[in-house]
Amino acid sequence: LRYVFQREVMTADKLYGAAAAYLMLGVLWAYLYAIANHLQPGSFAFGGTAISPLIGDLLYFSFTVLTSTGFGDAVPVLRYARGLCVLEQLVGALFLGLFALIFSAGAAFGVWPPPPDGGLRGSDLAAGFAFGLVLLVTLLRPRREHRLG
């Protein structure tokens, strides 16, 4: 991650590094869910039934939480499992938001952070508007209610 967020020109390697880091975040959270389920079995419900899921199921669940798609077939049942989900959603949104900001600034200026030459350019405003729009849509998107049973 340090390489991805360095103050240099944005390259394809940095894009690949950011994608790899994002995927590794999903795997890390799946293992955290597995630890949580090991400590308190029945923390998650799949298809309306509280079970001890396999790691593949937790990978699926982790990526639906990380990307905020939440299909509704897998839900956290216990309070601390819900807390982990909230943290993962925040980490996923912040990672994408920060990367979008850095990528757009890197594309506009070639480096991050932008050089202090005073004043805003049109590309600064466009990047800020795009970031704000993505954040607003993500936060205001209607969620489906999850019901067990």
Side-chain angles (χ1 to χ4, degrees), residues 22-121:
Y22 192 69
L23 292 174
M24 285 189 289
L25 278 174
V27 173
L28 170 72
W29 282 99
Y31 280 102
L32 290 175
Y33 292 139
I35 292 169
N37 194 62
H38 176 73
L39 295 175
Q40 186 71 30
S43 296
F44 301 95
F46 284 78
T49 306
I51 61 169
S52 286
L54 301 173
I55 193 66
D57 296 328
L58 291 173
L59 275 168
Y60 164 78
F61 177 71
S62 175
F63 281 106
T64 60
V65 172
L66 187 66
T67 59
S68 295
T69 52
F71 294 117
D73 57 343
V75 294
V77 177
L78 301 179
R79 182 173 289 166
Y80 75 92
R82 290 182 196 153
L84 281 175
C85 290
V86 169
L87 287 175
E88 184 180 13
Q89 286 176 328
L90 289 172
V91 166
L94 288 174
F95 183 90
L96 289 179
L98 272 174
F99 186 74
L101 179 66
I102 289 171
F103 178 72
S104 61
F109 298 107
V111 295
W112 177 259
D117 59 358
L120 290 174
R121 299 180 190 169

